Amino acid sequence: QESLNQAIAARDPSPLRTALRQAIDAGLPDLEEAAMFLCELEHWILDMESAEGLDKLQHALEAGLRARLPKTILDYYRQRLHQRVEAEAALQAAMAAARTPPLAEALKAAEGMSLPSERPAAALWKALDISEKLLRAALEAMSIEDLERALASAKESGLLELGLIEEASSMLASLNTD
């Protein structure tokens, strides 16, 4: 009974589960409250584990804090939240940079985190990637029409691959003077 009481006081599901099993095996009576408490603790942890995005994890973490879960458990989910905040900031920065490689890296790092910027970043990456491919193909084809179309696409998507855009612009100017 003493180890069960200590496990309840520690508010950590793993030792509580073990102590509860031992109490059941020992035939101790009146274990329903301890079993219900274990279910509550596991519920709070499941809420943190399954929380998607930033806000839901933040709310689940706050609930776990109010439930006075052990520091080690809370620290684990605080770290997850911190990783998500960093990934969201990286997505925002990569979107502002409007270049395909950093945006692709930020999207890969944010994968599975259900972040607010994930969908807009993926749509932007797709538009930037198309524009970049059009520019490269137009440079290879050395066609005025293709270069004009590719430069218009780059402008529309907001692509900031400045070296590539400048190369295409220079080639277009050169072809127009010929």
Side-chain angles (χ1 to χ4, degrees):
Q1 181 71 41
E2 186 177 324
S3 68
L4 182 61
N5 290 338
Q6 289 174 348
I8 289 171
R11 304 179 80 79
D12 189 336
S14 186
L16 178 53
R17 191 177 308 104
T18 301
L20 189 57
R21 264 194 222 112
Q22 291 171 348
I24 291 169
D25 291 346
L28 293 179
D30 303 322
L31 299 175
E32 293 81 18
E33 280 188 41
M36 287 176 48
F37 184 62
L38 174 60
C39 287
E40 286 179 32
L41 292 175
E42 289 175 336
H43 175 76
W44 284 314
I45 291 172
L46 181 61
D47 282 353
M48 289 186 290
E49 186 62 36
S50 62
E52 293 184 349
L54 297 171
D55 292 340
K56 288 181 182 176
L57 180 54
Q58 178 67 44
H59 294 332
L61 190 54
E62 289 167 1
L65 190 59
R66 285 190 303 275
R68 297 188 338 262
L69 292 175
K71 182 182 180 334
T72 54
I73 293 172
L74 293 172
D75 285 347
Y76 172 78
Y77 290 101
R78 282 184 186 114
Q79 180 61 30
R80 275 180 101 170
L81 180 61
H82 180 71
Q83 289 170 338
R84 289 181 186 184
V85 167
E86 285 183 345
E88 175 68 15
L91 278 174
Q92 293 286 334
M95 287 171 55
R99 296 185 58 239
T100 53
L103 192 50
E105 288 175 29
L107 280 165
K108 185 174 181 177
E111 194 171 310
M113 293 185 186
S114 301
L115 299 174
S117 295
E118 205 168 349
R119 281 188 183 163
L124 178 61
W125 178 84
K126 187 175 183 179
L128 296 175
D129 187 56
I130 289 169
S131 293
E132 187 173 336
K133 286 176 180 172
L134 285 172
L135 281 168
R136 293 189 189 286
L139 284 167
E140 194 172 308
M142 295 178 40
S143 157
I144 292 174
E145 187 176 289
D146 289 349
L147 286 164
E148 287 173 341
R149 189 175 316 118
L151 286 167
S153 172
K155 184 176 182 180
E156 183 179 321
S157 69
L159 181 68
L160 293 178
E161 295 288 349
L162 300 179
L164 187 60
I165 292 169
E166 187 165 309
E167 184 181 352
S169 296
S170 294
M171 181 180 283
L172 179 61
S174 172
L175 289 172
N176 278 331
T177 58
D178 290 346

